[in-house]
């Protein structure tokens, strides 16, 4: 196990049963944090938590539907009851373009072919979900006089790419939300930053049946690209940093320029 630089740090990661969320949760656990993996209940979450606890990590699973105020409230109540504090929220839960067009990377479709139901479902998860979870944990962080929120985003190019409604708009709005949250929370000692991989990543958002076809056209990043920057943002080294947009693939350069 690596150096326990995050000992006594309690972190909630949403969308943590697979993909970027699971990779970040594992990196935080390896660094000594206590982590609640939150996602919709099911075997994926149960199996991930079982594997991590059997490896000796301080992991726990929390059932969470980020689109539901009641579900968010229940998760926050669990944190208050079991931990009594929350140091870091990683807002990561989201769904991708394959929910409205399974062939989105190889056969993009224009926005007017997206169903209203598909549009609303993705926005409710990717944007409203970030708002609801951050809104839910902020009172606890205000009581503590400190806290960190990390919102996971994506490349600006993807926000403008052909055929990327509603995923592109959902993350463009996430970044606006993040900047405003950072300003709103400065006076309370709570920081808000954005973290994005820096390219398409190998996650469940890419349909398995199209992976070979997509990999021939796009260079996909390993989810582990998020590990080092997420640990940094949760660590004492990131004290006071807020309103930043960090590209994981360029993290070392970003860090060097800050020194």
């Amino acid at each position: 196990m690596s150096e326990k630089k995050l000992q006594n740090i309690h972190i909630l990661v949403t969308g943590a049963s697979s993909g970027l969320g699971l990779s970040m949760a594992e990196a935080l656990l390896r660094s000594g944090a206590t982590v609640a993996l939150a996602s919709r209940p099911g075997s994926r979450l149960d199996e991930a938590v079982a594997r991590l606890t059997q490896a000796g990590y301080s992991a726990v699973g929390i059932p969470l539907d980020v689109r539901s105020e009641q579900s968010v409230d229940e998760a926050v109540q669990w944190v208050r009851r079991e931990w009594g504090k929350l140091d870091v929220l990683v807002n990561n839960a989201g769904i991708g373009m394959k929910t409205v067009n399974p062939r989105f990377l190889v056969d993009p479709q224009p926005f007017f072919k997206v169903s209203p139901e598909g549009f609303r479902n993705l926005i409710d998860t990717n944007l409203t979900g970030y708002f609801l979870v951050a809104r839910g944990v902020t009172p606890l962080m205000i009581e503590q006089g400190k806290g960190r929120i990390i919102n996971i985003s994506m490349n600006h190019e993807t926000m403008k790419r052909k055929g990327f409604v509603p995923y592109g708009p959902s993350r463009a709005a996430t970044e606006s939300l993040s900047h405003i949250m950072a300003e709103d929370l400065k006076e309370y000692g709570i920081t808000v930053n954005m973290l994005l991989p820096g390219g398409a990543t190998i996650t469940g958002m890419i349909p398995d049946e199209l992976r070979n076809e997509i990999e021939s056209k796009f260079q996909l990043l390993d989810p582990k690209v998020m590990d080092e920057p997420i640990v940094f943002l949760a660590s004492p080294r990131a004290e006071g940093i807020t309103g930043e947009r960090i590209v994981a693939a360029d993290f070392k350069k970003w860090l060097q320029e800050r020194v």
Side-chain angles (χ1 to χ4, degrees), residues 133-167:
V133 180
R135 176 181 178 273
V137 304
T138 292
L140 177 56
M141 291 182 172
I142 290 174
E143 290 170 21
Q144 298 167 176
K146 63 178 181 177
R148 299 182 189 182
I149 298 173
I150 304 162
N151 291 331
I152 306 306
S153 187
M154 67 175 190
N155 284 357
H156 283 152
E157 292 80 3
T158 308
M159 297 176 191
K160 300 177 282 187
R161 182 172 290 161
K162 179 180 180 180
F164 266 69
V165 168
Y167 188 67

Side-chain angles (χ1 to χ4, degrees), residues 90-156:
V90 181
N91 250 335
N92 168 75
I95 56 177
M97 276 302 303
K98 77 174 186 179
T99 62
V100 294
N101 174 20
R103 294 181 57 81
F104 66 98
L105 278 175
V106 294
D107 184 21
Q109 294 181 349
F111 74 93
F112 55 84
K113 291 190 177 181
V114 175
S115 72
E117 180 184 11
F119 187 97
R120 291 190 183 100
N121 184 44
L122 193 145
I123 294 294
D124 281 351
T125 304
N126 291 16
L127 174 60
T128 308
Y130 276 25
F131 161 74
L132 290 175
V133 180
R135 176 181 178 273
V137 304
T138 292
L140 177 56
M141 291 182 172
I142 290 174
E143 290 170 21
Q144 298 167 176
K146 63 178 181 177
R148 299 182 189 182
I149 298 173
I150 304 162
N151 291 331
I152 306 306
S153 187
M154 67 175 190
N155 284 357
H156 283 152

Side-chain angles (χ1 to χ4, degrees), residues 37-201:
L37 287 76
S39 80
R40 294 182 190 179
S43 59
R44 279 200 311 185
L45 177 61
D46 295 341
E47 290 165 8
V49 173
R51 176 174 60 82
L52 292 167
T53 54
Q54 286 167 12
Y57 296 119
S58 299
V60 64
I62 296 181
L64 175 64
D65 179 354
V66 298
R67 301 171 303 175
S68 163
E69 293 96 321
Q70 180 179 345
S71 182
V72 170
D73 184 56
E74 289 171 356
V76 174
Q77 287 180 27
W78 184 95
V79 169
R80 282 184 176 274
R81 182 176 65 251
E82 300 297 327
W83 289 351
K85 69 164 188 168
L86 182 66
D87 299 293
V88 182
L89 164 66
V90 181
N91 250 335
N92 168 75
I95 56 177
M97 276 302 303
K98 77 174 186 179
T99 62
V100 294
N101 174 20
R103 294 181 57 81
F104 66 98
L105 278 175
V106 294
D107 184 21
Q109 294 181 349
F111 74 93
F112 55 84
K113 291 190 177 181
V114 175
S115 72
E117 180 184 11
F119 187 97
R120 291 190 183 100
N121 184 44
L122 193 145
I123 294 294
D124 281 351
T125 304
N126 291 16
L127 174 60
T128 308
Y130 276 25
F131 161 74
L132 290 175
V133 180
R135 176 181 178 273
V137 304
T138 292
L140 177 56
M141 291 182 172
I142 290 174
E143 290 170 21
Q144 298 167 176
K146 63 178 181 177
R148 299 182 189 182
I149 298 173
I150 304 162
N151 291 331
I152 306 306
S153 187
M154 67 175 190
N155 284 357
H156 283 152
E157 292 80 3
T158 308
M159 297 176 191
K160 300 177 282 187
R161 182 172 290 161
K162 179 180 180 180
F164 266 69
V165 168
Y167 188 67
S170 77
R171 286 294 173 247
T174 290
E175 296 209 351
S176 173
L177 176 69
S178 301
H179 285 297
I180 295 169
M181 283 169 53
E183 292 301 315
D184 287 350
L185 294 175
K186 276 182 180 177
E187 64 189 274
Y188 299 104
I190 301 168
T191 64
V192 182
N193 293 290
M194 290 159 276
L195 177 62
L196 57 144
T201 53

Side-chain angles (χ1 to χ4, degrees), residues 215-230:
E215 287 181 343
S216 69
K217 297 183 178 182
F218 299 89
Q219 183 175 1
L220 300 181
L221 296 171
D222 189 305
K224 292 185 181 299
V225 71
M226 304 289 274
D227 291 4
E228 187 177 356
I230 198 67

